[in-house]
Each structure stands twice: as C-alpha cells, then as structure tokens.
Amino acid sequence: MSRSESVGRPPRWWRAALGVVLAVLAGVLAPAAVVADWAHHQVDDTEAFVAAYGPLVRDPRVQEALTASLTDAINRQLGLEDNRLASALVQRAVGQAAGSDAFETAWTASLRLAHAELRALLSGDPGRLQVVDGEVQLRFAPFVDAVTQRLTEAGVPFLDRLPEVTGGFTLLRVDPALLPTLQAAYRVLGIGAAWLGVLAFLAAIGAVAVWPPRRRALITVGAAIAVGIVATWWATTAFVRALVDGLSPALSPVAGAVAETALAPLASPALAVAVTGALLATMAALAARTPHA
C-alpha cells in the first residue's frame, strides 16, 4: 500500500474502538427498545391492558381481595355495618357472584375505566375523568349489576340505595410531587418505543461496517445484545416487583400475581432478542475465517 493510499484512512485501532462503542450501544439500545415497547403498551394500549389483566379476576386471591372491598362498600352504602346478619348476607351474595360471567364482565369494564384514569393521570389531561389525589381505582360501579340480583335473592334490605355505591378498589396512588416526572417519562416513553429499535439496528450495522474484522464485530454485537437483554430483564423484574410491592395495601395479597401478569408480555420478546444475540455471536465465532473476514 502506498503512502498516498493510507493518508485518508483512519488508523485501524480507531475503527476497532468505534466498532466496540457501536456494538455496546446496540447492546444497550436493543433491550431498551424491547422494554420501552412493553411499557408503552402497558400504559397506552387499553386492549392490551385488559387482555393482560383480565384473567386476574379468576385468581382466588384477587377475588378474595376484591369481594372484601366490594362487600365493605355495599355495607357502608346500605348502612349495614352494625347489622351482622345483613352484612353476612351481603358477603355471601358477593362471594357467590365472584367468578360468574357477569362478575368477569364487570371486571373488564372496571379495568377499562382504571386504564383510562391511568392514561389521564400520565398525560395530564383528565378530561371528564375524576382522578382524585393521584389515585387510580378499580371502580365498584360496574360490579353493581353483577351482584344486585344475588343481593335481592338473599333478602338484603335497602337495595334502592345500591345504585349509588361509589368509590373503588385503589390500584395505584401517585405522589403528587412525582407526577410531573412521571408525565415527562410517559412522553419520552412514546418516543422511545418508536425509535429505540431503529437506533439499535443502525448501531449494530454501523459496528459491522466500521470494524475491519467483521467476524469479531458480529461476535461483539451478538454478545452485547444477549448480555444486555439478560441484565435488562433482571433490572426490569426487580423494578416491577418493587413497584408492585409499593401499590395499594389492599393489593399486597396479590402482589405476586400482579407482578407475574405485568411481566408476562415482556418474556417472549426478551427471550427472542436474547436468543438472536446469542446465535449471532455463536455463529460468527464458529464461522470459518476467510480472507475478507
């Protein structure tokens, strides 16, 4: 190679250093894209939210916590707190309604309201929704029709007051001081979900393009992505479990079920990205060296 041919080329170690930086960047951005897309669907897609959390109503722990809160609300509304016989009738009727098709329908309707409250809270545009003191609630109103017939059959008095049952099962309470930060994060999340995957792909392509030993670049990109997704899965799991543990005290008996439900949609894409990265690194490592590698 002549002196004139080498003048315009950056030294080889600079290309390698830039390749390492881009490979590591791909290993950071790819897992971040997976998590951003998962989180964005959790807080922005009502249908995905309902599909994920709808089956929770069949969990006995969820039914127990919900029926206890609903029973207390009905007893308060009907003024039956001190009437043990009537309270027992309400408890039995609500317990019998739990698990019925009508109860599941009410659960779905209440989930939609709760998700609308969550979006209103994070977007800062509550509209006609009333989000009081940063609380997102599973509203009791949709459950009234599901239990009215059973309450009537049980002989519970003062049912003319029942349609006025208000309040709900508190799912999440946000500290007002943290709300501006969460709202900013929500906006960033929407942008990240759209662009992080593209940036990760460009970083990976860039690493392979600028790093002269492409075989080494492929190994580094694949390994970075695999390690990155494993680390991100661990961190996200720890964060979700800590977040769930900090939810409403009424949810503490079902915290494990809520955490599992929240993480379930993340498992498959995370595994797919991890396997892709591992296969890329392995195949590049096993590939025979060629003069152009």
Side-chain angles (χ1 to χ4, degrees):
M1 181 183 293
S2 67
R3 180 180 181 84
S4 61
E5 291 176 327
S6 62
V7 168
R9 265 184 209 179
R12 189 181 183 90
W13 71 272
W14 276 110
R15 294 170 66 88
L18 181 58
V20 170
V21 171
L22 290 173
V24 172
L25 187 61
V28 172
L29 292 176
V34 174
V35 173
D37 185 68
W38 160 78
H40 184 257
H41 277 79
Q42 289 284 306
V43 300
D44 203 60
D45 189 333
T46 300
E47 296 305 319
F49 183 85
V50 171
Y53 293 93
L56 271 179
V57 73
R58 303 188 190 102
D59 189 309
R61 296 167 296 177
V62 174
Q63 290 183 3
E64 182 179 355
L66 180 57
T67 54
S69 295
L70 183 57
T71 298
D72 289 343
I74 292 173
N75 283 333
R76 285 195 304 271
Q77 184 65 31
L78 300 181
L80 302 177
E81 300 97 320
D82 299 326
N83 188 326
R84 292 187 178 182
L85 177 59
S87 296
L89 290 176
V90 171
Q91 184 176 10
R92 185 174 65 179
V94 174
Q96 290 174 343
S100 66
D101 291 341
F103 204 81
E104 290 192 18
T105 301
W107 170 267
T108 300
S110 195
L111 277 180
R112 291 183 184 280
L113 289 173
H115 190 260
E117 288 186 358
L118 177 61
R119 291 185 62 186
L121 191 67
L122 293 176
S123 66
D125 183 22
R128 291 179 296 176
L129 291 171
Q130 294 183 351
V131 184
V132 181
D133 297 329
E135 286 191 354
V136 175
Q137 293 186 326
L138 194 69
R139 296 295 175 179
F140 289 143
F143 292 94
V144 172
D145 290 338
V147 301
T148 299
Q149 182 61 35
R150 295 182 184 273
L151 291 171
T152 301
E153 293 172 354
V156 176
F158 310 120
L159 286 181
D160 56 314
R161 304 178 188 174
L162 187 56
E164 300 174 7
V165 172
T166 58
F169 187 83
T170 299
L171 298 175
L172 177 67
R173 183 179 291 108
V174 177
D175 185 344
L178 295 177
L179 189 55
T181 301
L182 292 176
Q183 290 172 341
Y186 175 70
R187 291 190 292 270
V188 171
L189 184 62
I191 298 172
W195 288 101
L196 284 175
V198 175
L199 294 176
F201 178 76
L202 293 177
I205 294 298
V208 175
V210 303
W211 200 342
R214 292 181 179 174
R215 179 169 170 268
R216 188 178 302 171
L218 289 170
I219 293 173
T220 306
V221 168
I225 291 174
V227 171
I229 198 67
V230 170
T232 302
W233 171 261
W234 178 85
T236 303
T237 301
F239 174 77
V240 168
R241 294 192 181 280
L243 181 63
V244 169
D245 288 342
L247 295 180
S248 165
L251 283 175
S252 57
V254 297
V258 173
E260 291 171 8
T261 300
L263 290 168
L266 178 62
S268 293
L271 179 61
V273 172
V275 169
T276 299
L279 284 176
L280 179 63
T282 302
M283 291 175 66
L286 295 177
R289 292 178 180 271
T290 67
H292 301 289

